[in-house]
Amino acid sequence: MIPVHGFEGAKVGVLGLGRSGLSAARALRDGGAIPVVWDDNAAARDKAEAEGFDTRDLQRAMDELSCLIVSPGIPHLYPTPNPVILAALQAGVPVDNDIGLFFQSLGVGWDMLDVTPKVIAITGSNGKSTTSALIHHLLEHVGRDSQLAGNIGRGVLDIDPLGEGSVVVLELSSYQTDLARSLTPDIAVFTNLSPDHLDRHAGLGGYFAAKRRLFAEGGPDRAIIGVDEVEGLFLAGQLSQGPTDDRVIRVSSGTKLTGPGWQVFARKGFLSEYRKGRQIASIDLRSVAGLPGAHNHQNACAAYAACRALGLAPRVIEAGLHSFAGLPHRSQIVGERGGVRFVNDSKATNVDAALKALQAFPRIRWVCGGLMKEGGLGALTPGLKNVAKAYVIGREADAFAMQLSGVETEVCISMERAVASAAAEAQDGEVVLLAPAAASFDQYDNFEKRGDDFMAQVNKALAAG
């Protein structure tokens, strides 16, 4: 655990007692603070009380608090602030989250270390989990002490104290970067941007602004920026002092990057690194089983750039790429029968992620649907040419299917029927792909549960022969 410093003897409110909230309360107490905690869920309060925490309505305790720590799922500004957060803002009580506490407390005791630990923080719309896990894997591959935390792996304050030359790899969502009062990574990565969480950020501009804080507030020593969207180009331009400034590493999937700076890009399945106008390395990604498709090649470029910024050699990174198995629910190969592959990409919860999944395979039996997000499905059009047929699930299946113009569709509602139909109709060389392009909450608690159901139905179909 990372004890939180700076609040010794002071009362600190903690709102929300899920993984990050309860972890923050423990770390505050370990650092000498007096946590006062609350969650609207009675079971969460009972769990906190069992650990000896003071559970109280925080609105009534606001005049006692030095700070309020908020869990990421609780809105602090849009669409409307949570009443407790609004009370804190009106009372002048600072509002922060566990990420801010982590960066505030991280460096205590580092003056005793010869090699200072590093923090790599990854944000973006799609690919940040795979990129984070891949960086962590590559570091472990070379024997570097590494911990994976934040929005993936362990809670950020639950990690072990950092030792000589160790690295923390943090996946950070827009909810986390938007509120953290302290953001000071050594290396920051921006994967890409596509519309998501727009209600929480009052539009795409607010969403991008939340991501941008990691770079503007954090001032990382090295920034790795995906430049396939205009927002990434803009961010790279803001951070760079000129064309030769190699503190910014530009990353692309599909576009050859030129110029005198530092670039890493993938084209036609090959990763290339250029620096000062010269090619430094090239890696064939086509045989890397854990990273199929152009979207995963972008993740590979970002992870490669982060590891190069830490001084790892290209050939060492290449070897590590081949041993990466991928993450569950992200282009995960579930099984194969009669030349038909079954792939679980349940994490493709928005249109951009689903489009990239559709573009990764030439002929697809597509399981899709769920709670549609703002903007509709029009952006999927470039990938629909790869779809042999769509099998639509979810409570909004009829409305979802109506937006898939020019594609044969079957309204299945349930995952069981969708997988059974797709498996029965799939031909040699085709892929049965779950890439929902929608949220899961109409039928499942989260995208993991949806992916688990897909895998269970696939295994059922495979067992039936």
Side-chain angles (χ1 to χ4, degrees):
M1 176 168 285
I2 305 294
V4 172
H5 298 281
F7 298 102
E8 289 78 2
K11 291 183 179 180
V12 178
V14 177
L15 179 62
L17 296 172
R19 184 186 71 160
S20 67
L22 201 53
S23 171
R26 293 170 183 143
L28 282 160
R29 184 166 62 185
D30 273 13
I34 305 168
V36 182
V37 306
W38 182 259
D39 193 298
D40 290 341
N41 184 289
R45 295 197 302 272
D46 290 344
K47 184 176 180 180
E49 287 176 358
E51 294 192 31
F53 289 111
D54 178 6
T55 59
R56 275 193 280 162
D57 182 344
L58 293 176
Q59 290 189 73
R60 298 180 180 178
M62 199 59 65
D63 59 351
E64 304 174 40
L65 302 182
S66 297
C67 187
L68 176 67
I69 306 303
V70 178
S71 293
I74 302 172
H76 57 271
L77 186 56
Y78 302 112
T80 56
N82 178 279
V84 175
I85 298 175
L86 183 60
L89 297 174
Q90 291 169 338
V93 174
V95 180
D96 203 349
N97 61 16
D98 62 328
I99 303 301
L101 295 180
F102 169 79
F103 280 110
Q104 173 185 321
S105 303
L106 187 60
V108 175
W110 283 10
D111 53 340
M112 305 295 292
L113 301 177
D114 292 327
V115 181
T116 303
K118 300 289 185 184
V119 177
I120 304 174
I122 299 94
T123 195
S125 296
N126 300 309
K128 55 186 180 292
S129 292
T130 297
T131 300
S132 301
L134 181 55
I135 293 170
H136 175 61
H137 170 79
L138 293 171
L139 292 170
E140 287 194 321
H141 174 75
V142 299
R144 190 88 175 256
D145 180 29
S146 173
Q147 298 183 71
L148 184 63
N151 216 35
I152 186 175
R154 302 164 70 181
V156 68
L157 292 168
D158 281 333
I159 67 172
D160 300 326
L162 303 188
E164 200 80 30
S166 60
V167 181
V168 178
V169 183
L170 295 183
E171 180 196 333
L172 298 181
S173 71
S174 59
Y175 296 176
Q176 293 169 313
T177 58
D178 198 19
L179 192 58
R181 294 172 67 89
S182 178
L183 286 166
T184 54
D186 298 281
I187 298 170
V189 180
F190 176 85
T191 58
N192 50 58
L193 194 85
S194 62
D196 209 355
H197 309 303
L198 300 188
D199 58 336
R200 180 69 179 264
H201 298 292
L204 187 60
Y207 178 50
F208 175 53
K211 301 287 188 185
R212 181 182 173 276
R213 286 193 77 244
L214 180 62
F215 303 85
E217 302 287 335
D221 296 332
R222 192 83 66 182
I224 297 160
I225 310 294
V227 295
D228 289 333
E229 296 86 29
V230 66
E231 291 87 357
L233 281 170
F234 177 78
L235 181 58
Q238 281 199 314
L239 296 172
S240 175
Q241 295 299 315
T244 61
D245 187 355
D246 65 2
R247 294 174 302 170
V248 177
I249 307 176
R250 291 168 172 82
V251 167
S252 175
S253 175
T255 301
K256 180 178 180 179
L257 301 178
T258 59
W262 196 348
Q263 296 100 13
V264 178
F265 60 88
R267 288 188 74 220
K268 299 179 180 179
F270 285 85
L271 179 152
S272 296
E273 177 188 3
Y274 276 75
R275 198 167 185 180
K276 297 180 180 179
R278 296 175 55 248
Q279 185 170 13
I280 304 297
S282 177
I283 297 174
D284 186 351
L285 298 174
R286 295 172 299 176
S287 60
V288 180
L291 295 166
H295 60 307
N296 275 312
H297 293 176
Q298 183 188 56
N299 300 333
C301 288
Y304 174 94
C307 291
R308 289 289 287 139
L310 287 176
L312 273 64
R315 292 305 162 209
V316 171
I317 298 173
E318 181 177 9
L321 291 174
H322 282 279
S323 61
F324 181 64
L327 286 177
H329 313 296
R330 298 160 177 88
S331 299
Q332 178 186 10
I333 298 174
V334 179
E336 186 171 344
R337 182 186 68 188
V340 176
R341 280 184 294 165
F342 296 81
V343 178
N344 168 24
D345 204 348
S346 184
K347 186 61 172 66
T349 58
N350 60 45
V351 168
D352 185 66
L355 173 61
K356 290 173 179 174
L358 293 178
Q359 292 173 327
F361 306 102
R363 189 163 173 83
I364 298 166
R365 301 280 170 174
W366 180 31
V367 180
C368 56
L371 284 179
M372 287 189 289
K373 299 185 177 181
E374 288 186 38
L377 305 177
L380 287 169
T381 300
L384 296 182
K385 64 181 183 295
N386 295 342
V387 177
K389 183 177 176 180
Y391 305 80
V392 188
I393 64 172
R395 295 178 188 172
E396 300 177 348
D398 286 307
F400 196 101
M402 288 179 64
Q403 293 199 36
L404 300 177
S405 177
V407 175
E408 183 184 356
T409 60
E410 179 181 334
V411 174
C412 297
I413 309 295
S414 72
M415 184 71 75
E416 181 179 21
R417 177 179 166 185
V419 172
S421 294
E425 297 174 0
Q427 304 295 314
D428 184 8
E430 294 183 339
V431 170
V432 176
L433 170 69
L434 171 65
S440 60
F441 304 121
D442 58 332
Q443 293 181 304
Y444 303 95
D445 291 340
N446 49 52
F447 73 85
E448 292 97 339
K449 295 291 187 183
R450 177 171 57 192
D452 289 342
D453 191 14
F454 174 78
M455 291 191 293
Q457 300 304 326
V458 168
N459 290 330
K460 181 178 174 182
L462 293 176

